[in-house]
Amino acid sequence: MAKQDYYATLGVTRDASADDLKRAYRKLAMQYHPDRNPGDKQAETKFKDVNEAYDVLKDDQKRSAYDRFGHAAFEGGGGGPGAGMGGFDFSAAGDLGDIFDQMFGMGRRGGARPRTGADLRQAVEIDLVDAFNGTKVNLRVATRVKCESCDGSGSADKGQAAATCPTCQGAGKVRAQQGFFLIERTCPTCNGQGRVIRNPCRICHGAGTVQRDRSLSVSIPAGVEDGTRIRLSGEGEAGGPGAQNGDLYVHVAVRPHEFFQREQANILMRVPLRMTQAALGDEVEVPVIDGTRAKVKIPPGTQTGDQFRLRGKGFSVLRSAVRGDMFIQVAVETPQNLTPKQRELLEAFEAEAKSSVKGSPDHEGFFAKVAAFFEGGRG
Ligand SMILES: [Zn+2]
Ligand SMILES: [Zn+2]
């Protein structure tokens, strides 16, 4: 296979300067770029030839080898990553980045086709009791699903696979030299898929996916905490042709409960008591998160803030049989809107209380100190 002279390919003379080469290369690469010549085999070949010629001539060492030995200088082995492309090493295709940037600037054809489907995020709110028991929630997710018309291939030609991308030769990536750096980027022609669709599906326009509302049922495990993120692998948006689906992340928010307040594996419950219950002692029945009831013994003389522990009546720990405890925190309520009879009884109680120092030790102690404080201040 006779190869054209590299200088002739770029349309420059043998004494062309680096700038001349660059200018000629840019002009031709733009002209024959596959994005501007979709389906044109000749342009595709030309584009490759231009890149190959420039790759050699821009490098002083390679250029002098070429000047002395011609194409023979680069034949036989050592083709590197581009070995399958007639010795053209794509990794060294200088300034390709610039070209692509310019192509981008001129507007890319078609819609972007992501490599992997996008991840989706969906928030759900559940009751604390459901969080305790575990539950199932039904979600309606607006997402992209596989196009049925083309079975996700994106191609209108039934069963016909897409063609290998002419820009990256199916690698999905191109490498470009930028100064000292070799930068690898997603191939802009095929968006990293390595394949391009010649005859796009009329329903999905080559994307392989279509927008659709999907219903799905999600199991929320028992013991789930507020703010938990559940990952459903592959339940995100469908990927493009041959690509993987994204994931669906379900963010679980747990609504505050009117009785139960969760603190890790424990549950705190505030129970208001009548002043007399607290003073005389009593037994109260409280609800438990598992739907049962529990009795709590209130000893005589219970104060606001006193806590009683019910072992094993707390929250279940995620993925275990262990349960935390429930803490009952008492608040003593001062009676209001007294009936005449209550008033009478409490007045009698008060008269009695004044003669009993032991009945309210905090109260007595406090006012004894206040009296001492005033006397001390005068002295
Ligand atoms: Zn490509
Ligand atoms: Zn389709």
Side-chain angles (χ1 to χ4, degrees):
M1 195 171 76
K3 264 187 156 171
Q4 202 189 7
D5 179 77
Y6 285 152
Y7 292 99
T9 300
L10 292 177
V12 293
T13 56
R14 293 215 146 235
D15 58 358
S17 69
D19 275 348
D20 294 339
L21 284 169
K22 195 171 183 173
R23 220 172 303 124
Y25 164 68
R26 282 196 181 188
K27 189 170 150 266
L28 292 167
M30 295 279 277
Q31 187 182 337
Y32 295 115
H33 195 282
D35 272 3
R36 307 186 82 189
N37 305 276
D40 183 343
K41 281 271 166 211
Q42 242 179 328
E44 192 182 317
T45 310
K46 242 348 206 168
F47 181 70
K48 263 189 264 179
D49 289 347
V50 164
N51 276 297
E52 182 180 332
Y54 184 62
D55 174 53
V56 170
L57 298 186
K58 76 178 163 66
D59 183 310
D60 287 343
Q61 245 177 330
K62 285 187 192 167
R63 185 176 177 178
S64 75
Y66 179 72
D67 287 346
R68 277 190 287 163
F69 307 111
H71 291 298
F74 309 106
E75 273 155 22
M85 296 150 50
F88 168 44
D89 181 0
F90 226 96
S91 67
D95 294 314
L96 220 51
D98 289 358
I99 298 277
F100 288 148
D101 289 343
Q102 286 171 40
M103 302 303 294
F104 282 137
M106 299 170 94
R108 244 178 337 156
R109 76 193 152 90
R113 291 187 293 277
R115 213 169 178 193
T116 311
D119 290 339
L120 294 175
R121 203 195 120 115
Q122 187 86 15
V124 297
E125 205 182 48
I126 60 169
D127 201 76
L128 189 73
V129 175
D130 286 338
F132 175 81
N133 291 313
T135 185
K136 258 190 165 42
V137 291
N138 293 312
L139 295 180
R140 228 177 146 64
V141 189
T143 183
R144 294 195 77 85
V145 297
K146 189 161 92 175
C147 171
E148 274 160 23
S149 175
C150 62
D151 198 30
S153 72
S155 171
D157 307 319
K158 276 264 184 309
Q160 193 190 313
T164 299
C165 171
T167 308
C168 63
Q169 305 299 313
K173 282 176 187 148
V174 289
R175 283 184 268 179
Q177 189 86 40
Q178 288 196 348
F180 291 111
F181 303 102
L182 192 62
I183 292 172
E184 194 176 70
R185 61 173 77 197
T186 302
C187 172
T189 306
C190 61
N191 271 307
Q193 290 181 16
R195 309 185 78 70
V196 286
I197 288 147
R198 295 257 176 260
N199 184 11
C201 165
R202 276 172 297 278
I203 305 296
C204 65
H205 309 290
T209 61
V210 288
Q211 191 72 31
R212 186 85 38 91
D213 268 4
R214 255 183 82 203
S215 300
L216 75 169
S217 169
V218 180
S219 289
I220 311 283
V224 71
E225 279 179 65
D226 183 45
T228 298
R229 196 177 72 159
I230 297 170
R231 177 168 168 261
L232 298 172
S233 180
E235 297 287 359
E237 293 202 336
Q244 281 185 316
N245 289 1
D247 298 331
L248 172 65
Y249 290 95
V250 178
H251 289 248
V252 182
V254 180
R255 267 190 295 272
H257 194 275
E258 65 171 324
F259 302 139
F260 306 114
Q261 192 184 327
R262 182 175 181 179
E263 276 174 7
Q264 275 125 34
N266 297 328
I267 290 176
L268 189 70
M269 186 162 75
R270 193 177 162 278
V271 176
L273 291 181
R274 285 192 304 276
M275 178 187 77
T276 40
Q277 278 179 297
L280 303 171
D282 199 0
E283 193 176 64
V284 294
E285 200 174 60
V286 294
V288 178
I289 187 102
D290 60 15
T292 61
R293 296 152 195 259
K295 288 202 159 99
V296 185
K297 213 174 150 50
I298 306 294
T302 291
Q303 306 289 340
T304 287
D306 281 359
Q307 271 192 170
F308 305 97
R309 182 202 291 244
L310 297 173
R311 288 192 188 274
K313 302 283 185 198
F315 229 79
S316 53
V317 176
L318 200 63
R319 284 181 283 277
S320 104
V322 176
R323 273 181 70 177
D325 302 330
M326 175 150 84
F327 290 90
I328 307 295
Q329 196 173 66
V330 165
V332 179
E333 189 176 26
T334 305
Q336 293 170 309
N337 308 314
L338 300 176
T339 63
K341 174 79 173 168
Q342 280 177 319
R343 186 160 191 96
E344 196 182 306
L345 288 168
L346 284 177
E347 275 167 358
F349 177 87
E350 176 62 6
E352 180 67 15
K354 275 184 177 151
S355 63
S356 161
V357 180
K358 277 181 164 175
S360 308
D362 276 358
H363 170 89
E364 299 300 339
F366 176 75
F367 285 101
K369 280 179 198 157
V370 168
F373 171 78
F374 283 128
E375 276 161 29
R378 283 189 197 119

